[in-house]
């Protein structure tokens, strides 16, 4: 089966991990600091807190933003459920706003219509690696006093109006799952340009521990003393995985270039195939393509999915609208809430896209898809 996504592991990655395994640090050590520093070079200098997953990154970001019981978080339904569930777990009400029909990203006008006096955060998702309309979303967030969060699980290395993703929002989250552009096996990060938001994020990912005597309530106990002032969790990403991340980040430019090359090739080869919509790209963004999402018209998505899978091509569907999951249905959310997102989902199909995809394998994908639709 040709997968829709696959990690790219080189000898340099293996050696980087082996070097840590032969050293003194497995958990939090020098590789964590170096990984966070090198990641910040891709976020326009915004400091980064590494964590154990993209889901953990969202949880940490919402905590840093002060999301809690009685608050509301406005976000898109066209995302993996963690974008919403991590806010719900903190006691917030998730308010789903519709998406733009071309990019699949959160529609700023829909977000503006969804905010209230209780809106604590607005979370956009850079669907498929195409940055959302952050200038307009910033106006919406500032207008209601909300924190602007960017879920950049798909878009590491991308830019919006010349600004790197990670420097545009108050908080930006990343995922390093194996299908993503850069992997640490499991892992994630939060970028925060604001010092206070960064402090909250860093504290929460490490149990809320206070080790600085100048900040402790009882600093004279002894050198072993540490305090917890606010609850946190152990979301620390270990040195052994950060070593893999460092090696991967040093190949990020090459990963992005190959993905862009494959996207351009798909665009050329699939142009004119009947019943097929190709992904949009706005002129003022530089995407970092994680998915190649096409739209299969005329109600044929299920047929195409089944036939391509039967042919050994691992196409995927990304994503079921978050509020369609039974956990949200049980909370009273109903289908029809976001018509554009539901229409997008009804036609969406992700074609294989990863740096190791050969031109020959891509030709095979194109021939199979075009053959079915033609």
């Amino acid at each position: 089966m040709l997968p829709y996504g696959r990690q790219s592991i080189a000898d340099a990655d293996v050696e980087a991990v082996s070097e840590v395994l032969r050293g003194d640090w497995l958990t939090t050590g020098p590789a964590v600091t170096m990984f966070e520093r090198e990641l910040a070079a891709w976020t326009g200098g915004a400091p980064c807190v590494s964590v154990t997953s993209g889901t953990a990154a969202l949880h940490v970001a919402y905590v840093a933003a002060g999301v809690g019981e009685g608050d509301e978080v406005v976000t898109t339904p066209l995302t993996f459920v963690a974008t919403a569930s991590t806010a719900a777990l903190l006691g917030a009400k998730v308010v789903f706003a519709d998406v733009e029909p071309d990019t699949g990203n959160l529609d700023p006008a829909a977000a503006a219509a969804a905010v209230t006096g209780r809106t604590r955060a607005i979370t956009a998702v850079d669907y498929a690696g195409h940055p959302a309309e952050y200038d307009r979303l910033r106006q919406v967030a500032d207008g209601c006093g909300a924190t602007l969060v960017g879920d950049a699980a798909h878009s590491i290395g991308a830019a919006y109006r010349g600004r790197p993703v990670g420097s545009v929002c108050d908080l930006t989250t990343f995922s390093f799952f194996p299908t993503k552009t850069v992997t640490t096996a499991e892992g994630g990060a939060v970028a925060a340009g604001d010092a206070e938001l960064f402090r909250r994020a860093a504290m929460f990912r490490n149990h809320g521990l206070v080790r600085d005597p100048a900040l402790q309530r009882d600093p004279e106990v002894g050198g072993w003393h540490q305090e917890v002032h606010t609850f946190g969790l152990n979301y620390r990403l270990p040195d052994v995985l950060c070593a893999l991340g460092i090696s991967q980040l040093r190949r990020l430019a090459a990963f992005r270039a190959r993905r862009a090359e494959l996207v351009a090739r798909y665009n050329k080869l699939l142009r004119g195939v009947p019943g097929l919509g190709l992904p949009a790209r706005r002129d003022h963004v530089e995407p970092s393509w994680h998915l190649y999402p096409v739209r299969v018209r005329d109600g044929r998505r299920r047929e195409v999915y089944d036939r391509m899978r039967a042919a050994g091509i691992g196409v995927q569907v990304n994503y079921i609208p978050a509020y369609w999951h039974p956990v949200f249905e049980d909370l009273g959310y109903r289908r029809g809430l976001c018509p554009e997102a539901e229409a997008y989902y009804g036609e969406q199909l992700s074609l294989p896209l990863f740096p190791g995809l050969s031109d020959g394998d891509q030709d095979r994908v194109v021939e199979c898809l075009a053959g079915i639709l033609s």
Side-chain angles (χ1 to χ4, degrees), residues 75-301:
T75 192
T76 166
L78 196 62
T79 181
F80 184 64
V81 68
T83 310
S85 63
T86 46
L89 283 167
L90 290 169
K93 176 184 177 182
V94 181
V95 180
F96 292 103
D98 217 342
V99 303
E100 298 172 322
D102 57 344
T103 64
N105 285 332
L106 180 64
D107 184 342
V115 300
T116 71
R118 291 180 293 181
T119 303
R120 176 71 67 169
I122 297 174
T123 305
V125 173
D126 297 338
Y127 183 80
H130 187 293
E133 289 298 331
Y134 284 113
D135 283 352
R136 294 171 61 197
L137 289 168
R138 168 62 70 190
Q139 293 176 350
V140 177
D142 288 351
C144 66
T147 300
L148 183 59
V149 180
D151 182 340
H154 293 182
S155 61
I156 185 170
Y160 172 78
R161 298 192 185 278
R163 291 172 284 166
V165 164
S167 66
V168 182
C169 297
D170 299 310
L171 293 158
T172 306
T173 66
F174 298 96
S175 170
F176 306 122
F177 190 72
T179 56
K180 302 301 196 300
T181 305
V182 163
T183 187
T184 58
E186 290 277 6
V190 181
D194 178 83
E196 179 59 19
L197 291 175
F198 178 82
R199 185 193 69 80
R200 293 179 198 166
M203 289 280 290
F204 187 73
R205 71 94 182 257
N206 190 28
H207 299 287
L209 289 174
V210 178
R211 292 195 171 109
D212 183 351
L215 301 176
Q216 292 176 348
R217 296 182 186 178
D218 195 9
E220 303 300 328
V221 173
W224 66 86
H225 184 62
Q226 54 191 2
E227 299 175 351
V228 174
H229 296 180
T230 58
F231 290 125
L233 294 171
N234 178 3
Y235 277 156
R236 299 188 304 266
L237 191 64
D239 251 38
V240 67
L241 297 186
C242 283
L244 174 58
I246 293 165
S247 183
Q248 289 268 302
L249 282 174
R250 292 172 181 174
R251 299 164 62 205
L252 175 53
F255 288 156
R256 293 185 66 248
R258 177 56 179 164
R259 286 173 176 270
E261 184 179 272
L262 289 165
V263 166
R265 203 163 182 272
Y266 267 137
N267 288 342
K268 179 180 178 181
L269 295 172
L270 292 172
R271 189 176 297 116
V273 173
L276 191 69
L278 304 186
R281 175 183 173 175
R282 304 268 172 89
D283 291 338
H284 54 273
V285 307
E286 183 182 335
S288 191
W289 294 108
H290 163 58
L291 301 175
Y292 188 81
V294 297
R295 296 184 67 166
V296 181
R297 315 290 190 190
D298 305 321
R300 299 188 66 189
R301 196 267 304 274

Side-chain angles (χ1 to χ4, degrees), residues 16 20 25-38 50 237-246:
V20 169
W25 298 89
L26 291 182
T27 55
T28 304
V32 173
T33 302
M34 184 178 295
F35 176 65
E36 291 172 345
R37 185 183 303 126
E38 296 213 8
S50 60
L237 191 64
D239 251 38
V240 67
L241 297 186
C242 283
L244 174 58
I246 293 165

Side-chain angles (χ1 to χ4, degrees), residues 7 29 64 86 101 113 129 157-158 197 223 229 261 316 324 347 350 365:
Q7 67 270 21
T86 46
L197 291 175
H229 296 180
E261 184 179 272
Q316 186 58 282
W324 282 21
E347 298 178 340
S350 296
V365 174

